mmCIF file with all atom_site columns, all heavy atoms in Angstrom:
data_model
loop_
_atom_site.group_PDB
_atom_site.id
_atom_site.type_symbol
_atom_site.label_atom_id
_atom_site.label_alt_id
_atom_site.label_comp_id
_atom_site.label_asym_id
_atom_site.label_entity_id
_atom_site.label_seq_id
_atom_site.pdbx_PDB_ins_code
_atom_site.Cartn_x
_atom_site.Cartn_y
_atom_site.Cartn_z
_atom_site.occupancy
_atom_site.B_iso_or_equiv
_atom_site.pdbx_formal_charge
_atom_site.auth_seq_id
_atom_site.auth_comp_id
_atom_site.auth_asym_id
_atom_site.auth_atom_id
_atom_site.pdbx_PDB_model_num
ATOM 1   N N   . ALA A 1 1  ? 28.745 -32.436 -9.944  1.00 0.00 ? 30 ALA A N   1
ATOM 2   C CA  . ALA A 1 1  ? 27.348 -32.526 -9.509  1.00 0.00 ? 30 ALA A CA  1
ATOM 3   C C   . ALA A 1 1  ? 27.028 -31.349 -8.590  1.00 0.00 ? 30 ALA A C   1
ATOM 4   O O   . ALA A 1 1  ? 27.875 -30.921 -7.807  1.00 0.00 ? 30 ALA A O   1
ATOM 5   C CB  . ALA A 1 1  ? 27.105 -33.838 -8.788  1.00 0.00 ? 30 ALA A CB  1
ATOM 6   N N   . PRO A 1 2  ? 25.790 -30.806 -8.677  1.00 0.00 ? 31 PRO A N   1
ATOM 7   C CA  . PRO A 1 2  ? 25.437 -29.674 -7.810  1.00 0.00 ? 31 PRO A CA  1
ATOM 8   C C   . PRO A 1 2  ? 25.496 -30.040 -6.333  1.00 0.00 ? 31 PRO A C   1
ATOM 9   O O   . PRO A 1 2  ? 25.663 -29.180 -5.490  1.00 0.00 ? 31 PRO A O   1
ATOM 10  C CB  . PRO A 1 2  ? 24.017 -29.313 -8.235  1.00 0.00 ? 31 PRO A CB  1
ATOM 11  C CG  . PRO A 1 2  ? 23.509 -30.455 -9.021  1.00 0.00 ? 31 PRO A CG  1
ATOM 12  C CD  . PRO A 1 2  ? 24.697 -31.207 -9.537  1.00 0.00 ? 31 PRO A CD  1
ATOM 13  N N   . SER A 1 3  ? 25.381 -31.316 -6.021  1.00 0.00 ? 32 SER A N   1
ATOM 14  C CA  . SER A 1 3  ? 25.390 -31.751 -4.624  1.00 0.00 ? 32 SER A CA  1
ATOM 15  C C   . SER A 1 3  ? 26.775 -32.185 -4.158  1.00 0.00 ? 32 SER A C   1
ATOM 16  O O   . SER A 1 3  ? 26.907 -32.748 -3.078  1.00 0.00 ? 32 SER A O   1
ATOM 17  C CB  . SER A 1 3  ? 24.409 -32.905 -4.443  1.00 0.00 ? 32 SER A CB  1
ATOM 18  O OG  . SER A 1 3  ? 24.760 -33.975 -5.307  1.00 0.00 ? 32 SER A OG  1
ATOM 19  N N   . SER A 1 4  ? 27.791 -31.920 -4.935  1.00 0.00 ? 33 SER A N   1
ATOM 20  C CA  . SER A 1 4  ? 29.144 -32.348 -4.604  1.00 0.00 ? 33 SER A CA  1
ATOM 21  C C   . SER A 1 4  ? 29.526 -31.891 -3.205  1.00 0.00 ? 33 SER A C   1
ATOM 22  O O   . SER A 1 4  ? 29.345 -30.737 -2.839  1.00 0.00 ? 33 SER A O   1
ATOM 23  C CB  . SER A 1 4  ? 30.121 -31.768 -5.625  1.00 0.00 ? 33 SER A CB  1
ATOM 24  O OG  . SER A 1 4  ? 31.439 -32.079 -5.267  1.00 0.00 ? 33 SER A OG  1
ATOM 25  N N   . GLY A 1 5  ? 30.040 -32.830 -2.419  1.00 0.00 ? 34 GLY A N   1
ATOM 26  C CA  . GLY A 1 5  ? 30.488 -32.501 -1.066  1.00 0.00 ? 34 GLY A CA  1
ATOM 27  C C   . GLY A 1 5  ? 29.451 -32.762 -0.004  1.00 0.00 ? 34 GLY A C   1
ATOM 28  O O   . GLY A 1 5  ? 29.725 -32.613 1.169   1.00 0.00 ? 34 GLY A O   1
ATOM 29  N N   . THR A 1 6  ? 28.239 -33.157 -0.384  1.00 0.00 ? 35 THR A N   1
ATOM 30  C CA  . THR A 1 6  ? 27.181 -33.395 0.584   1.00 0.00 ? 35 THR A CA  1
ATOM 31  C C   . THR A 1 6  ? 26.854 -34.880 0.638   1.00 0.00 ? 35 THR A C   1
ATOM 32  O O   . THR A 1 6  ? 26.607 -35.506 -0.382  1.00 0.00 ? 35 THR A O   1
ATOM 33  C CB  . THR A 1 6  ? 25.906 -32.612 0.208   1.00 0.00 ? 35 THR A CB  1
ATOM 34  O OG1 . THR A 1 6  ? 26.233 -31.246 0.033   1.00 0.00 ? 35 THR A OG1 1
ATOM 35  C CG2 . THR A 1 6  ? 24.863 -32.735 1.296   1.00 0.00 ? 35 THR A CG2 1
ATOM 36  N N   . ASP A 1 7  ? 26.865 -35.445 1.830   1.00 0.00 ? 36 ASP A N   1
ATOM 37  C CA  . ASP A 1 7  ? 26.524 -36.844 2.037   1.00 0.00 ? 36 ASP A CA  1
ATOM 38  C C   . ASP A 1 7  ? 25.232 -36.928 2.836   1.00 0.00 ? 36 ASP A C   1
ATOM 39  O O   . ASP A 1 7  ? 24.970 -36.095 3.701   1.00 0.00 ? 36 ASP A O   1
ATOM 40  C CB  . ASP A 1 7  ? 27.624 -37.575 2.815   1.00 0.00 ? 36 ASP A CB  1
ATOM 41  C CG  . ASP A 1 7  ? 28.927 -37.653 2.050   1.00 0.00 ? 36 ASP A CG  1
ATOM 42  O OD1 . ASP A 1 7  ? 28.880 -37.728 0.808   1.00 0.00 ? 36 ASP A OD1 1
ATOM 43  O OD2 . ASP A 1 7  ? 29.985 -37.639 2.694   1.00 0.00 ? 36 ASP A OD2 1
ATOM 44  N N   . ILE A 1 8  ? 24.443 -37.977 2.570   1.00 0.00 ? 37 ILE A N   1
ATOM 45  C CA  . ILE A 1 8  ? 23.200 -38.224 3.296   1.00 0.00 ? 37 ILE A CA  1
ATOM 46  C C   . ILE A 1 8  ? 23.279 -39.610 3.903   1.00 0.00 ? 37 ILE A C   1
ATOM 47  O O   . ILE A 1 8  ? 23.871 -40.526 3.326   1.00 0.00 ? 37 ILE A O   1
ATOM 48  C CB  . ILE A 1 8  ? 21.971 -38.079 2.358   1.00 0.00 ? 37 ILE A CB  1
ATOM 49  C CG1 . ILE A 1 8  ? 20.665 -38.237 3.133   1.00 0.00 ? 37 ILE A CG1 1
ATOM 50  C CG2 . ILE A 1 8  ? 22.058 -39.036 1.193   1.00 0.00 ? 37 ILE A CG2 1
ATOM 51  C CD1 . ILE A 1 8  ? 19.433 -37.880 2.312   1.00 0.00 ? 37 ILE A CD1 1
ATOM 52  N N   . GLU A 1 9  ? 22.678 -39.783 5.064   1.00 0.00 ? 38 GLU A N   1
ATOM 53  C CA  . GLU A 1 9  ? 22.741 -41.076 5.738   1.00 0.00 ? 38 GLU A CA  1
ATOM 54  C C   . GLU A 1 9  ? 21.980 -42.153 4.963   1.00 0.00 ? 38 GLU A C   1
ATOM 55  O O   . GLU A 1 9  ? 20.957 -41.890 4.347   1.00 0.00 ? 38 GLU A O   1
ATOM 56  C CB  . GLU A 1 9  ? 22.199 -40.951 7.150   1.00 0.00 ? 38 GLU A CB  1
ATOM 57  C CG  . GLU A 1 9  ? 20.742 -40.528 7.195   1.00 0.00 ? 38 GLU A CG  1
ATOM 58  C CD  . GLU A 1 9  ? 20.193 -40.483 8.609   1.00 0.00 ? 38 GLU A CD  1
ATOM 59  O OE1 . GLU A 1 9  ? 20.234 -41.518 9.294   1.00 0.00 ? 38 GLU A OE1 1
ATOM 60  O OE2 . GLU A 1 9  ? 19.717 -39.413 8.992   1.00 0.00 ? 38 GLU A OE2 1
ATOM 61  N N   . VAL A 1 10 ? 22.503 -43.370 4.989   1.00 0.00 ? 39 VAL A N   1
ATOM 62  C CA  . VAL A 1 10 ? 21.934 -44.483 4.226   1.00 0.00 ? 39 VAL A CA  1
ATOM 63  C C   . VAL A 1 10 ? 20.495 -44.813 4.637   1.00 0.00 ? 39 VAL A C   1
ATOM 64  O O   . VAL A 1 10 ? 19.650 -45.028 3.764   1.00 0.00 ? 39 VAL A O   1
ATOM 65  C CB  . VAL A 1 10 ? 22.854 -45.732 4.320   1.00 0.00 ? 39 VAL A CB  1
ATOM 66  C CG1 . VAL A 1 10 ? 22.193 -46.951 3.719   1.00 0.00 ? 39 VAL A CG1 1
ATOM 67  C CG2 . VAL A 1 10 ? 24.180 -45.439 3.626   1.00 0.00 ? 39 VAL A CG2 1
ATOM 68  N N   . PRO A 1 11 ? 20.124 -44.868 5.919   1.00 0.00 ? 40 PRO A N   1
ATOM 69  C CA  . PRO A 1 11 ? 18.737 -45.195 6.254   1.00 0.00 ? 40 PRO A CA  1
ATOM 70  C C   . PRO A 1 11 ? 17.722 -44.228 5.626   1.00 0.00 ? 40 PRO A C   1
ATOM 71  O O   . PRO A 1 11 ? 16.629 -44.645 5.227   1.00 0.00 ? 40 PRO A O   1
ATOM 72  C CB  . PRO A 1 11 ? 18.697 -45.117 7.782   1.00 0.00 ? 40 PRO A CB  1
ATOM 73  C CG  . PRO A 1 11 ? 20.098 -45.393 8.201   1.00 0.00 ? 40 PRO A CG  1
ATOM 74  C CD  . PRO A 1 11 ? 20.959 -44.773 7.132   1.00 0.00 ? 40 PRO A CD  1
ATOM 75  N N   . ALA A 1 12 ? 18.079 -42.965 5.500   1.00 0.00 ? 41 ALA A N   1
ATOM 76  C CA  . ALA A 1 12 ? 17.184 -42.000 4.856   1.00 0.00 ? 41 ALA A CA  1
ATOM 77  C C   . ALA A 1 12 ? 17.052 -42.304 3.372   1.00 0.00 ? 41 ALA A C   1
ATOM 78  O O   . ALA A 1 12 ? 15.965 -42.185 2.801   1.00 0.00 ? 41 ALA A O   1
ATOM 79  C CB  . ALA A 1 12 ? 17.686 -40.575 5.065   1.00 0.00 ? 41 ALA A CB  1
ATOM 80  N N   . VAL A 1 13 ? 18.137 -42.729 2.747   1.00 0.00 ? 42 VAL A N   1
ATOM 81  C CA  . VAL A 1 13 ? 18.091 -43.089 1.325   1.00 0.00 ? 42 VAL A CA  1
ATOM 82  C C   . VAL A 1 13 ? 17.204 -44.316 1.132   1.00 0.00 ? 42 VAL A C   1
ATOM 83  O O   . VAL A 1 13 ? 16.380 -44.366 0.218   1.00 0.00 ? 42 VAL A O   1
ATOM 84  C CB  . VAL A 1 13 ? 19.512 -43.347 0.762   1.00 0.00 ? 42 VAL A CB  1
ATOM 85  C CG1 . VAL A 1 13 ? 19.447 -43.889 -0.644  1.00 0.00 ? 42 VAL A CG1 1
ATOM 86  C CG2 . VAL A 1 13 ? 20.334 -42.065 0.815   1.00 0.00 ? 42 VAL A CG2 1
ATOM 87  N N   . VAL A 1 14 ? 17.336 -45.297 2.010   1.00 0.00 ? 43 VAL A N   1
ATOM 88  C CA  . VAL A 1 14 ? 16.507 -46.500 1.927   1.00 0.00 ? 43 VAL A CA  1
ATOM 89  C C   . VAL A 1 14 ? 15.035 -46.133 2.092   1.00 0.00 ? 43 VAL A C   1
ATOM 90  O O   . VAL A 1 14 ? 14.176 -46.606 1.335   1.00 0.00 ? 43 VAL A O   1
ATOM 91  C CB  . VAL A 1 14 ? 16.951 -47.547 2.975   1.00 0.00 ? 43 VAL A CB  1
ATOM 92  C CG1 . VAL A 1 14 ? 15.955 -48.702 3.050   1.00 0.00 ? 43 VAL A CG1 1
ATOM 93  C CG2 . VAL A 1 14 ? 18.347 -48.049 2.646   1.00 0.00 ? 43 VAL A CG2 1
ATOM 94  N N   . GLU A 1 15 ? 14.729 -45.288 3.055   1.00 0.00 ? 44 GLU A N   1
ATOM 95  C CA  . GLU A 1 15 ? 13.338 -44.856 3.247   1.00 0.00 ? 44 GLU A CA  1
ATOM 96  C C   . GLU A 1 15 ? 12.828 -44.110 2.021   1.00 0.00 ? 44 GLU A C   1
ATOM 97  O O   . GLU A 1 15 ? 11.695 -44.307 1.579   1.00 0.00 ? 44 GLU A O   1
ATOM 98  C CB  . GLU A 1 15 ? 13.221 -43.991 4.499   1.00 0.00 ? 44 GLU A CB  1
ATOM 99  C CG  . GLU A 1 15 ? 11.790 -43.639 4.837   1.00 0.00 ? 44 GLU A CG  1
ATOM 100 C CD  . GLU A 1 15 ? 11.643 -42.911 6.160   1.00 0.00 ? 44 GLU A CD  1
ATOM 101 O OE1 . GLU A 1 15 ? 12.615 -42.863 6.949   1.00 0.00 ? 44 GLU A OE1 1
ATOM 102 O OE2 . GLU A 1 15 ? 10.545 -42.382 6.400   1.00 0.00 ? 44 GLU A OE2 1
ATOM 103 N N   . LEU A 1 16 ? 13.659 -43.283 1.451   1.00 0.00 ? 45 LEU A N   1
ATOM 104 C CA  . LEU A 1 16 ? 13.296 -42.547 0.239   1.00 0.00 ? 45 LEU A CA  1
ATOM 105 C C   . LEU A 1 16 ? 13.022 -43.512 -0.918  1.00 0.00 ? 45 LEU A C   1
ATOM 106 O O   . LEU A 1 16 ? 12.027 -43.377 -1.645  1.00 0.00 ? 45 LEU A O   1
ATOM 107 C CB  . LEU A 1 16 ? 14.416 -41.574 -0.113  1.00 0.00 ? 45 LEU A CB  1
ATOM 108 C CG  . LEU A 1 16 ? 14.161 -40.504 -1.136  1.00 0.00 ? 45 LEU A CG  1
ATOM 109 C CD1 . LEU A 1 16 ? 12.950 -39.661 -0.781  1.00 0.00 ? 45 LEU A CD1 1
ATOM 110 C CD2 . LEU A 1 16 ? 15.381 -39.621 -1.272  1.00 0.00 ? 45 LEU A CD2 1
ATOM 111 N N   . LEU A 1 17 ? 13.869 -44.510 -1.078  1.00 0.00 ? 46 LEU A N   1
ATOM 112 C CA  . LEU A 1 17 ? 13.660 -45.515 -2.129  1.00 0.00 ? 46 LEU A CA  1
ATOM 113 C C   . LEU A 1 17 ? 12.387 -46.324 -1.890  1.00 0.00 ? 46 LEU A C   1
ATOM 114 O O   . LEU A 1 17 ? 11.669 -46.661 -2.840  1.00 0.00 ? 46 LEU A O   1
ATOM 115 C CB  . LEU A 1 17 ? 14.879 -46.437 -2.229  1.00 0.00 ? 46 LEU A CB  1
ATOM 116 C CG  . LEU A 1 17 ? 16.151 -45.780 -2.762  1.00 0.00 ? 46 LEU A CG  1
ATOM 117 C CD1 . LEU A 1 17 ? 17.337 -46.723 -2.620  1.00 0.00 ? 46 LEU A CD1 1
ATOM 118 C CD2 . LEU A 1 17 ? 15.977 -45.328 -4.196  1.00 0.00 ? 46 LEU A CD2 1
ATOM 119 N N   . ASP A 1 18 ? 12.094 -46.631 -0.620  1.00 0.00 ? 47 ASP A N   1
ATOM 120 C CA  . ASP A 1 18 ? 10.841 -47.323 -0.298  1.00 0.00 ? 47 ASP A CA  1
ATOM 121 C C   . ASP A 1 18 ? 9.625  -46.497 -0.699  1.00 0.00 ? 47 ASP A C   1
ATOM 122 O O   . ASP A 1 18 ? 8.657  -47.022 -1.245  1.00 0.00 ? 47 ASP A O   1
ATOM 123 C CB  . ASP A 1 18 ? 10.769 -47.650 1.197   1.00 0.00 ? 47 ASP A CB  1
ATOM 124 C CG  . ASP A 1 18 ? 11.705 -48.777 1.610   1.00 0.00 ? 47 ASP A CG  1
ATOM 125 O OD1 . ASP A 1 18 ? 12.185 -49.516 0.725   1.00 0.00 ? 47 ASP A OD1 1
ATOM 126 O OD2 . ASP A 1 18 ? 11.963 -48.896 2.835   1.00 0.00 ? 47 ASP A OD2 1
ATOM 127 N N   . ARG A 1 19 ? 9.697  -45.187 -0.465  1.00 0.00 ? 48 ARG A N   1
ATOM 128 C CA  . ARG A 1 19 ? 8.582  -44.296 -0.842  1.00 0.00 ? 48 ARG A CA  1
ATOM 129 C C   . ARG A 1 19 ? 8.429  -44.237 -2.361  1.00 0.00 ? 48 ARG A C   1
ATOM 130 O O   . ARG A 1 19 ? 7.328  -44.189 -2.881  1.00 0.00 ? 48 ARG A O   1
ATOM 131 C CB  . ARG A 1 19 ? 8.807  -42.898 -0.287  1.00 0.00 ? 48 ARG A CB  1
ATOM 132 C CG  . ARG A 1 19 ? 8.985  -42.843 1.213   1.00 0.00 ? 48 ARG A CG  1
ATOM 133 C CD  . ARG A 1 19 ? 7.701  -42.529 1.903   1.00 0.00 ? 48 ARG A CD  1
ATOM 134 N NE  . ARG A 1 19 ? 7.868  -42.663 3.337   1.00 0.00 ? 48 ARG A NE  1
ATOM 135 C CZ  . ARG A 1 19 ? 7.334  -41.860 4.204   1.00 0.00 ? 48 ARG A CZ  1
ATOM 136 N NH1 . ARG A 1 19 ? 6.593  -40.860 3.795   1.00 0.00 ? 48 ARG A NH1 1
ATOM 137 N NH2 . ARG A 1 19 ? 7.496  -42.066 5.487   1.00 0.00 ? 48 ARG A NH2 1
ATOM 138 N N   . ILE A 1 20 ? 9.539  -44.243 -3.074  1.00 0.00 ? 49 ILE A N   1
ATOM 139 C CA  . ILE A 1 20 ? 9.495  -44.246 -4.544  1.00 0.00 ? 49 ILE A CA  1
ATOM 140 C C   . ILE A 1 20 ? 8.894  -45.567 -5.036  1.00 0.00 ? 49 ILE A C   1
ATOM 141 O O   . ILE A 1 20 ? 8.011  -45.582 -5.890  1.00 0.00 ? 49 ILE A O   1
ATOM 142 C CB  . ILE A 1 20 ? 10.899 -44.017 -5.142  1.00 0.00 ? 49 ILE A CB  1
ATOM 143 C CG1 . ILE A 1 20 ? 11.381 -42.590 -4.832  1.00 0.00 ? 49 ILE A CG1 1
ATOM 144 C CG2 . ILE A 1 20 ? 10.891 -44.268 -6.651  1.00 0.00 ? 49 ILE A CG2 1
ATOM 145 C CD1 . ILE A 1 20 ? 12.848 -42.358 -5.138  1.00 0.00 ? 49 ILE A CD1 1
ATOM 146 N N   . ALA A 1 21 ? 9.353  -46.693 -4.483  1.00 0.00 ? 50 ALA A N   1
ATOM 147 C CA  . ALA A 1 21 ? 8.865  -48.013 -4.891  1.00 0.00 ? 50 ALA A CA  1
ATOM 148 C C   . ALA A 1 21 ? 7.373  -48.162 -4.626  1.00 0.00 ? 50 ALA A C   1
ATOM 149 O O   . ALA A 1 21 ? 6.660  -48.814 -5.396  1.00 0.00 ? 50 ALA A O   1
ATOM 150 C CB  . ALA A 1 21 ? 9.646  -49.113 -4.178  1.00 0.00 ? 50 ALA A CB  1
ATOM 151 N N   . ALA A 1 22 ? 6.891  -47.540 -3.549  1.00 0.00 ? 51 ALA A N   1
ATOM 152 C CA  . ALA A 1 22 ? 5.472  -47.628 -3.206  1.00 0.00 ? 51 ALA A CA  1
ATOM 153 C C   . ALA A 1 22 ? 4.620  -46.676 -4.045  1.00 0.00 ? 51 ALA A C   1
ATOM 154 O O   . ALA A 1 22 ? 3.399  -46.699 -3.958  1.00 0.00 ? 51 ALA A O   1
ATOM 155 C CB  . ALA A 1 22 ? 5.282  -47.338 -1.720  1.00 0.00 ? 51 ALA A CB  1
ATOM 156 N N   . GLY A 1 23 ? 5.261  -45.821 -4.828  1.00 0.00 ? 52 GLY A N   1
ATOM 157 C CA  . GLY A 1 23 ? 4.531  -44.870 -5.658  1.00 0.00 ? 52 GLY A CA  1
ATOM 158 C C   . GLY A 1 23 ? 4.089  -43.624 -4.920  1.00 0.00 ? 52 GLY A C   1
ATOM 159 O O   . GLY A 1 23 ? 3.310  -42.820 -5.437  1.00 0.00 ? 52 GLY A O   1
ATOM 160 N N   . ALA A 1 24 ? 4.583  -43.439 -3.686  1.00 0.00 ? 53 ALA A N   1
ATOM 161 C CA  . ALA A 1 24 ? 4.202  -42.268 -2.897  1.00 0.00 ? 53 ALA A CA  1
ATOM 162 C C   . ALA A 1 24 ? 4.809  -40.984 -3.451  1.00 0.00 ? 53 ALA A C   1
ATOM 163 O O   . ALA A 1 24 ? 4.209  -39.910 -3.344  1.00 0.00 ? 53 ALA A O   1
ATOM 164 C CB  . ALA A 1 24 ? 4.617  -42.457 -1.439  1.00 0.00 ? 53 ALA A CB  1
ATOM 165 N N   . ILE A 1 25 ? 5.999  -41.090 -4.008  1.00 0.00 ? 54 ILE A N   1
ATOM 166 C CA  . ILE A 1 25 ? 6.671  -39.963 -4.657  1.00 0.00 ? 54 ILE A CA  1
ATOM 167 C C   . ILE A 1 25 ? 7.368  -40.493 -5.900  1.00 0.00 ? 54 ILE A C   1
ATOM 168 O O   . ILE A 1 25 ? 7.587  -41.696 -6.031  1.00 0.00 ? 54 ILE A O   1
ATOM 169 C CB  . ILE A 1 25 ? 7.696  -39.263 -3.724  1.00 0.00 ? 54 ILE A CB  1
ATOM 170 C CG1 . ILE A 1 25 ? 8.788  -40.241 -3.292  1.00 0.00 ? 54 ILE A CG1 1
ATOM 171 C CG2 . ILE A 1 25 ? 7.011  -38.618 -2.540  1.00 0.00 ? 54 ILE A CG2 1
ATOM 172 C CD1 . ILE A 1 25 ? 9.911  -39.590 -2.518  1.00 0.00 ? 54 ILE A CD1 1
ATOM 173 N N   . THR A 1 26 ? 7.717  -39.579 -6.780  1.00 0.00 ? 55 THR A N   1
ATOM 174 C CA  . THR A 1 26 ? 8.453  -39.997 -7.977  1.00 0.00 ? 55 THR A CA  1
ATOM 175 C C   . THR A 1 26 ? 9.952  -39.837 -7.733  1.00 0.00 ? 55 THR A C   1
ATOM 176 O O   . THR A 1 26 ? 10.375 -39.074 -6.855  1.00 0.00 ? 55 THR A O   1
ATOM 177 C CB  . THR A 1 26 ? 8.049  -39.159 -9.206  1.00 0.00 ? 55 THR A CB  1
ATOM 178 O OG1 . THR A 1 26 ? 8.504  -37.807 -9.013  1.00 0.00 ? 55 THR A OG1 1
ATOM 179 C CG2 . THR A 1 26 ? 6.547  -39.190 -9.442  1.00 0.00 ? 55 THR A CG2 1
ATOM 180 N N   . ALA A 1 27 ? 10.720 -40.537 -8.528  1.00 0.00 ? 56 ALA A N   1
ATOM 181 C CA  . ALA A 1 27 ? 12.177 -40.412 -8.440  1.00 0.00 ? 56 ALA A CA  1
ATOM 182 C C   . ALA A 1 27 ? 12.601 -38.975 -8.750  1.00 0.00 ? 56 ALA A C   1
ATOM 183 O O   . ALA A 1 27 ? 13.532 -38.446 -8.140  1.00 0.00 ? 56 ALA A O   1
ATOM 184 C CB  . ALA A 1 27 ? 12.848 -41.395 -9.401  1.00 0.00 ? 56 ALA A CB  1
ATOM 185 N N   . GLU A 1 28 ? 11.896 -38.333 -9.677  1.00 0.00 ? 57 GLU A N   1
ATOM 186 C CA  . GLU A 1 28 ? 12.224 -36.947 -10.035 1.00 0.00 ? 57 GLU A CA  1
ATOM 187 C C   . GLU A 1 28 ? 11.990 -36.012 -8.852  1.00 0.00 ? 57 GLU A C   1
ATOM 188 O O   . GLU A 1 28 ? 12.781 -35.102 -8.609  1.00 0.00 ? 57 GLU A O   1
ATOM 189 C CB  . GLU A 1 28 ? 11.396 -36.489 -11.238 1.00 0.00 ? 57 GLU A CB  1
ATOM 190 C CG  . GLU A 1 28 ? 11.772 -37.166 -12.539 1.00 0.00 ? 57 GLU A CG  1
ATOM 191 C CD  . GLU A 1 28 ? 11.177 -38.574 -12.693 1.00 0.00 ? 57 GLU A CD  1
ATOM 192 O OE1 . GLU A 1 28 ? 10.257 -38.953 -11.917 1.00 0.00 ? 57 GLU A OE1 1
ATOM 193 O OE2 . GLU A 1 28 ? 11.652 -39.308 -13.572 1.00 0.00 ? 57 GLU A OE2 1
ATOM 194 N N   . GLN A 1 29 ? 10.894 -36.228 -8.112  1.00 0.00 ? 58 GLN A N   1
ATOM 195 C CA  . GLN A 1 29 ? 10.632 -35.397 -6.937  1.00 0.00 ? 58 GLN A CA  1
ATOM 196 C C   . GLN A 1 29 ? 11.736 -35.566 -5.902  1.00 0.00 ? 58 GLN A C   1
ATOM 197 O O   . GLN A 1 29 ? 12.201 -34.582 -5.313  1.00 0.00 ? 58 GLN A O   1
ATOM 198 C CB  . GLN A 1 29 ? 9.283  -35.757 -6.311  1.00 0.00 ? 58 GLN A CB  1
ATOM 199 C CG  . GLN A 1 29 ? 8.086  -35.321 -7.112  1.00 0.00 ? 58 GLN A CG  1
ATOM 200 C CD  . GLN A 1 29 ? 6.798  -35.881 -6.525  1.00 0.00 ? 58 GLN A CD  1
ATOM 201 O OE1 . GLN A 1 29 ? 6.706  -37.067 -6.211  1.00 0.00 ? 58 GLN A OE1 1
ATOM 202 N NE2 . GLN A 1 29 ? 5.805  -35.014 -6.394  1.00 0.00 ? 58 GLN A NE2 1
ATOM 203 N N   . ALA A 1 30 ? 12.133 -36.803 -5.680  1.00 0.00 ? 59 ALA A N   1
ATOM 204 C CA  . ALA A 1 30 ? 13.188 -37.075 -4.704  1.00 0.00 ? 59 ALA A CA  1
ATOM 205 C C   . ALA A 1 30 ? 14.498 -36.431 -5.140  1.00 0.00 ? 59 ALA A C   1
ATOM 206 O O   . ALA A 1 30 ? 15.169 -35.770 -4.353  1.00 0.00 ? 59 ALA A O   1
ATOM 207 C CB  . ALA A 1 30 ? 13.360 -38.584 -4.524  1.00 0.00 ? 59 ALA A CB  1
ATOM 208 N N   . ARG A 1 31 ? 14.858 -36.628 -6.401  1.00 0.00 ? 60 ARG A N   1
ATOM 209 C CA  . ARG A 1 31 ? 16.100 -36.046 -6.920  1.00 0.00 ? 60 ARG A CA  1
ATOM 210 C C   . ARG A 1 31 ? 16.078 -34.529 -6.805  1.00 0.00 ? 60 ARG A C   1
ATOM 211 O O   . ARG A 1 31 ? 17.052 -33.917 -6.347  1.00 0.00 ? 60 ARG A O   1
ATOM 212 C CB  . ARG A 1 31 ? 16.309 -36.454 -8.378  1.00 0.00 ? 60 ARG A CB  1
ATOM 213 C CG  . ARG A 1 31 ? 17.616 -35.899 -8.961  1.00 0.00 ? 60 ARG A CG  1
ATOM 214 C CD  . ARG A 1 31 ? 17.680 -35.971 -10.465 1.00 0.00 ? 60 ARG A CD  1
ATOM 215 N NE  . ARG A 1 31 ? 16.591 -35.184 -11.020 1.00 0.00 ? 60 ARG A NE  1
ATOM 216 C CZ  . ARG A 1 31 ? 15.779 -35.598 -11.988 1.00 0.00 ? 60 ARG A CZ  1
ATOM 217 N NH1 . ARG A 1 31 ? 15.907 -36.777 -12.521 1.00 0.00 ? 60 ARG A NH1 1
ATOM 218 N NH2 . ARG A 1 31 ? 14.815 -34.822 -12.434 1.00 0.00 ? 60 ARG A NH2 1
ATOM 219 N N   . ASP A 1 32 ? 14.985 -33.903 -7.227  1.00 0.00 ? 61 ASP A N   1
ATOM 220 C CA  . ASP A 1 32 ? 14.902 -32.442 -7.192  1.00 0.00 ? 61 ASP A CA  1
ATOM 221 C C   . ASP A 1 32 ? 15.008 -31.908 -5.768  1.00 0.00 ? 61 ASP A C   1
ATOM 222 O O   . ASP A 1 32 ? 15.700 -30.916 -5.512  1.00 0.00 ? 61 ASP A O   1
ATOM 223 C CB  . ASP A 1 32 ? 13.612 -31.959 -7.849  1.00 0.00 ? 61 ASP A CB  1
ATOM 224 C CG  . ASP A 1 32 ? 13.590 -32.200 -9.346  1.00 0.00 ? 61 ASP A CG  1
ATOM 225 O OD1 . ASP A 1 32 ? 14.656 -32.505 -9.935  1.00 0.00 ? 61 ASP A OD1 1
ATOM 226 O OD2 . ASP A 1 32 ? 12.486 -32.093 -9.941  1.00 0.00 ? 61 ASP A OD2 1
ATOM 227 N N   . LYS A 1 33 ? 14.335 -32.568 -4.825  1.00 0.00 ? 62 LYS A N   1
ATOM 228 C CA  . LYS A 1 33 ? 14.381 -32.137 -3.421  1.00 0.00 ? 62 LYS A CA  1
ATOM 229 C C   . LYS A 1 33 ? 15.796 -32.249 -2.877  1.00 0.00 ? 62 LYS A C   1
ATOM 230 O O   . LYS A 1 33 ? 16.314 -31.324 -2.245  1.00 0.00 ? 62 LYS A O   1
ATOM 231 C CB  . LYS A 1 33 ? 13.415 -32.980 -2.591  1.00 0.00 ? 62 LYS A CB  1
ATOM 232 C CG  . LYS A 1 33 ? 13.463 -32.744 -1.097  1.00 0.00 ? 62 LYS A CG  1
ATOM 233 C CD  . LYS A 1 33 ? 12.751 -31.500 -0.671  1.00 0.00 ? 62 LYS A CD  1
ATOM 234 C CE  . LYS A 1 33 ? 11.269 -31.758 -0.620  1.00 0.00 ? 62 LYS A CE  1
ATOM 235 N NZ  . LYS A 1 33 ? 10.525 -30.651 -0.048  1.00 0.00 ? 62 LYS A NZ  1
ATOM 236 N N   . LEU A 1 34 ? 16.453 -33.379 -3.127  1.00 0.00 ? 63 LEU A N   1
ATOM 237 C CA  . LEU A 1 34 ? 17.808 -33.571 -2.616  1.00 0.00 ? 63 LEU A CA  1
ATOM 238 C C   . LEU A 1 34 ? 18.802 -32.615 -3.266  1.00 0.00 ? 63 LEU A C   1
ATOM 239 O O   . LEU A 1 34 ? 19.679 -32.069 -2.590  1.00 0.00 ? 63 LEU A O   1
ATOM 240 C CB  . LEU A 1 34 ? 18.248 -35.027 -2.811  1.00 0.00 ? 63 LEU A CB  1
ATOM 241 C CG  . LEU A 1 34 ? 17.502 -36.051 -1.965  1.00 0.00 ? 63 LEU A CG  1
ATOM 242 C CD1 . LEU A 1 34 ? 17.933 -37.462 -2.340  1.00 0.00 ? 63 LEU A CD1 1
ATOM 243 C CD2 . LEU A 1 34 ? 17.703 -35.802 -0.484  1.00 0.00 ? 63 LEU A CD2 1
#
């Protein structure tokens, strides 16, 4: 994976998933940014 070796904190992932679920951003936008 291009992100191999990089970890992100869980609360940020949860917030990101909440934004996706609310329709504020798409999963593709989140994936591309990360």
Side-chain angles (χ1 to χ4, degrees):
S32 58
S33 175
T35 307
D36 295 328
I37 184 171
E38 62 177 302
V39 171
V42 173
V43 171
E44 186 174 348
L45 193 55
L46 291 171
D47 287 344
R48 303 264 172 141
I49 293 169
I54 61 173
T55 68
E57 291 80 14
Q58 288 172 313
R60 181 195 61 227
D61 292 347
K62 174 78 80 172
L63 292 175

